[in-house]
Amino acid sequence: MRILPSSRILMILALLSLGAVFFFPLWQILLDAAQFPGGLQLHIWVNKISGTDKYILQNINILNHYIGMKSIHPDSIPELKYFPFIIYGLLALGLVVVVIDKAWAYLSWSVLISLLGILGIYDFYLWLYDYGHNLDPTAPIKIEGMTYQPPLFGAKDLLNFYVQSYPHWGAAFLGLAVIIAFLAYLKKIHKPKIDQLEPADLVTKATGQSKQKKVNNILIQVIAGLLLVGCGINPEPIVFGKDHCVYCKMSIADPKYGAELVTAKGKVFKFDALECMVPYMQQQDKSDYAYVLGIAYDDPGILHPVGSMHFIIAEKYNSPMGANLAGFKNVQLIANNPNLFDWESLKSHLSSRISQQQP
């Protein structure tokens, strides 16, 4: 079987990297404010808008209503409908480039995707500009001369919110696709033609093929590692009755309780209760967690960012480790309870309780 030239292998890897944009957000906007412990995260995908939880757009639209900003409705954003077809077209064109296997084809594809990427970023900027400037004059809150355009790249203060906007993994994979395709072009133009080689060069070429194959294999492994680098940093669902708490070693059995930590390196730690996760975090003496999650009593079995939850301590909530602690997504269910905590105050409360129990 004829072995594919290294330029073709690189182009196939570029197509795999481009395809990864369907599995990761292209951009993220983070909003931090005192009334939202843990902040709000808005993720912009090639075909949808999501965030830290399913209510993210509802919460942001409620806030926007008071200052006259438009509501975000993904179904009404045309780019989210036709952008996927542009990616499909680039993938199909890339397969044609692999078949053609010409230097001009690799260069043309990398230039085309670069231009489309720049146009996409410009289109996103225009959307942000309209989103922050086109305000409803009848809004309940009006501040003369104030606009609310989030930054395209960077951070700024907007009223009581600190807003950050940065590329996400999808944008990284898109950029990686351009780089790999350009490497395929460079590999192609630097490949010597056999009729231009002297006899001594032919001997060197034959004896050096094994070493070249090893270099190519290493290059492929490095690029494949880059493609997979973000895949492991994700939460895992708790398997009730099978998973065990890393702190107390008990089986995680009740779907109304439970918690999970995911480190920045992608390692997952599961707990049968929030009162196990907090002391575990204290013992580790580190804070490099990609995810800090808890299960809501009013949404059993589902992990949510603890910053978006509220917590209550009451005897009727028989949590596994006896803290009578439950988390809730809908704060209205427990709004009148005096023992109501947000995540930061809960950590402080549990830390004090642990200190009092220690001899």
Side-chain angles (χ1 to χ4, degrees):
M1 180 183 292
R2 183 173 177 269
I3 300 175
L4 285 175
S6 58
S7 55
R8 281 180 166 167
I9 294 175
L10 288 169
M11 189 63 197
I12 291 172
L13 290 174
L15 294 178
L16 291 174
S17 182
L18 177 60
V21 303
F22 288 103
F23 302 97
F24 299 93
L26 290 168
W27 220 268
Q28 65 176 352
I29 298 177
L30 311 177
L31 302 96
D32 290 319
Q35 66 267 40
F36 290 100
L40 300 173
Q41 296 184 23
L42 192 66
H43 295 157
I44 314 297
W45 300 66
V46 71
N47 57 354
K48 63 181 179 179
I49 297 178
S50 67
T52 46
D53 58 61
K54 59 184 178 181
Y55 301 110
I56 181 73
L57 289 181
Q58 176 182 330
N59 290 333
I60 290 177
N61 286 339
I62 291 173
L63 293 170
N64 289 348
H65 165 73
Y66 290 103
I67 55 177
M69 296 177 71
K70 294 180 179 178
S71 296
I72 301 174
H73 298 292
D75 293 340
S76 66
I77 301 176
E79 289 86 346
L80 299 180
K81 297 178 180 179
Y82 64 74
F83 274 2
F85 291 101
I86 294 177
I87 301 298
Y88 295 145
L90 288 170
L91 290 172
L93 185 60
L95 291 175
V96 174
V97 171
V98 172
V99 175
I100 295 174
D101 192 31
K102 299 293 184 181
W104 64 265
Y106 295 122
L107 180 61
S108 298
W109 192 87
S110 61
V111 170
L112 176 61
I113 191 175
S114 298
L115 291 175
L116 290 174
I118 293 171
L119 288 174
I121 293 175
Y122 180 65
D123 180 79
F124 182 45
Y125 169 79
L126 293 179
W127 184 86
L128 290 175
Y129 183 90
D130 181 71
Y131 178 63
H133 287 76
N134 189 5
L135 305 177
D136 184 354
T138 63
I141 300 175
K142 294 187 290 292
I143 301 177
E144 189 68 28
M146 183 68 184
T147 61
Y148 304 97
Q149 180 184 356
L152 176 66
F153 187 92
K156 66 187 294 187
D157 291 310
L158 292 176
L159 293 182
N160 61 326
F161 279 88
Y162 181 67
V163 183
Q164 303 175 72
S165 177
Y166 295 104
H168 210 287
W169 280 110
F173 282 116
L174 183 62
L176 185 61
V178 175
I179 294 172
I180 299 174
F182 189 73
L183 289 176
Y185 161 73
L186 293 178
K187 185 70 176 179
K188 195 67 179 176
I189 63 175
H190 285 96
K191 183 178 180 181
K193 297 181 179 179
I194 194 167
D195 57 1
Q196 295 176 339
L197 297 175
E198 298 294 331
D201 294 327
L202 292 174
V203 173
T204 303
K205 179 178 176 63
T207 56
Q209 282 182 343
S210 177
K211 180 182 292 186
Q212 183 62 43
K213 287 181 180 179
K214 290 181 179 179
V215 172
N216 288 342
N217 288 337
I218 292 173
L219 180 61
I220 291 171
Q221 291 174 10
V222 170
I223 296 174
L226 290 172
L227 291 173
L228 296 174
V229 68
C231 298
I233 309 178
N234 288 298
E236 294 179 2
I238 294 176
V239 182
F240 296 95
K242 182 178 179 181
D243 288 335
H244 289 77
C245 177
V246 298
Y247 183 74
C248 69
K249 312 304 180 184
M250 292 178 60
S251 175
I252 306 176
D254 195 332
K256 296 189 297 296
Y257 306 93
E260 186 172 293
L261 293 173
V262 183
T263 69
K265 296 182 178 180
K267 195 168 184 179
V268 178
F269 299 94
K270 300 179 181 180
F271 306 86
D272 65 343
L274 288 161
E275 58 261 39
C276 282
M277 184 171 71
V278 171
Y280 179 86
M281 294 173 70
Q282 292 178 323
Q283 291 178 2
Q284 299 309 302
D285 191 29
K286 62 179 182 179
S287 59
D288 55 339
Y289 295 113
Y291 295 92
V292 181
L293 308 167
I295 289 179
Y297 191 91
D298 56 336
D299 194 12
I302 306 299
L303 290 163
H304 300 278
V306 292
S308 66
M309 298 171 62
H310 288 78
F311 308 89
I312 187 172
I313 295 178
E315 291 184 359
K316 68 176 182 178
Y317 302 111
N318 188 21
S319 56
M321 296 306 294
N324 299 326
L325 170 63
F328 283 80
K329 282 296 296 176
N330 186 356
V331 69
Q332 299 301 323
L333 297 176
I334 52 175
N336 297 324
N337 195 288
N339 294 320
L340 185 63
F341 302 85
D342 61 19
W343 174 238
E344 294 300 325
S345 60
L346 178 67
K347 285 196 300 182
S348 177
H349 174 80
L350 291 178
S351 299
S352 300
R353 179 185 173 201
I354 293 169
S355 300
Q356 292 173 1
Q357 290 175 348
Q358 292 176 345

